[in-house]
Amino acid sequence: MSVEQFTVQPSSSVGTIALVVLVVTGVALLLLALTTGRRAKTIRRTFVVLMIIGIVVIGLGVWLFFASNTPSTITVGYGYANIQSPSFDGTGNMNITANKIASAYVGQIGSGNLTLSKQHGTNYDHFNVGIFTLGNGNTAYVVSNNSTDLIIQLKSGEYVILGTPNTNALATSFSQNVYPIKSP
């Protein structure tokens, strides 16, 4: 019996888009402040406010870039699955034990009861990390970069959906160590 760890790496373009948009906006605000400030005989309130907002927007862009590129990890051990995901744009940390599980199976997200509607998190192409509402109205904690996922229904009625580049290996490990996987 060994502990296996799986990584869900976010798409690098998500953070890059946020970085570029916010840094360009921040630089534009700084340039506006500098051109406005040069025309004034004294430092104006507008100049200071624009400088502060510009610096904050650039800082936010850099922070979002690093925060959105933080991977989530799924650890499968004997009797448990542990998910560690950034709480900013993910599910946060969760520990799922066999006694909390009602059923588990491998399925395709994106249609029927497994359609995802984002409440909190990131959804870009096949990258879905965060808290979502399913087509059946239930809440799902999702950490996946694949459309084929391990679907875990908890006794509470909530779902945990996990997918990695190798969902079959994740599902096999989960079935052997945590809870048997059934056909949907």
Side-chain angles (χ1 to χ4, degrees):
M1 168 64 240
S2 66
V3 174
E4 291 187 73
Q5 192 169 56
F6 302 88
T7 302
V8 177
Q9 186 67 42
S11 168
S12 62
S13 61
V14 173
T16 305
I17 292 168
L19 176 68
V20 169
V21 168
L22 290 172
V23 168
V24 167
T25 303
V27 168
L29 288 168
L30 290 176
L31 290 173
L32 181 63
L34 291 173
T35 56
T36 304
R38 285 188 183 152
R39 287 187 235 144
K41 301 224 186 245
T42 59
I43 295 181
R44 296 159 127 189
R45 187 175 181 177
T46 305
F47 169 75
V48 173
V49 170
L50 286 174
M51 289 293 288
I52 291 170
I53 292 172
I55 291 169
V56 168
V57 168
I58 291 171
L60 180 64
V62 171
W63 179 77
L64 277 174
F65 175 75
F66 289 108
S68 66
N69 283 321
T70 304
S72 298
T73 57
I74 303 163
T75 305
V76 178
Y78 183 71
Y80 73 92
N82 183 277
I83 297 115
Q84 293 190 335
S85 181
S87 57
F88 165 71
D89 65 346
T91 62
N93 299 336
M94 299 179 71
N95 195 45
I96 303 160
T97 55
N99 64 344
K100 295 179 183 177
I101 299 171
S103 68
Y105 61 94
V106 174
Q108 294 277 81
I109 59 171
S111 63
N113 284 340
L114 295 179
T115 56
L116 300 176
S117 177
K118 181 174 70 171
Q119 292 179 22
H120 164 80
T122 303
N123 61 328
Y124 179 77
D125 199 21
H126 288 298
F127 180 74
N128 297 291
V129 175
I131 302 170
F132 293 77
T133 301
L134 293 175
N136 63 9
N138 291 72
T139 297
Y141 299 90
V142 181
V143 175
S144 173
N145 60 358
N146 196 339
S147 62
T148 301
D149 295 301
L150 172 60
I151 315 295
I152 305 165
Q153 182 179 10
L154 303 177
K155 290 178 181 175
S156 66
E158 297 176 317
Y159 287 75
V160 177
I161 299 176
L162 307 172
T164 69
N166 193 349
T167 298
N168 286 336
L170 171 64
T172 300
S173 179
F174 185 86
S175 186
Q176 291 171 353
N177 298 303
V178 184
Y179 193 88
I181 293 178
K182 308 231 188 279
S183 298

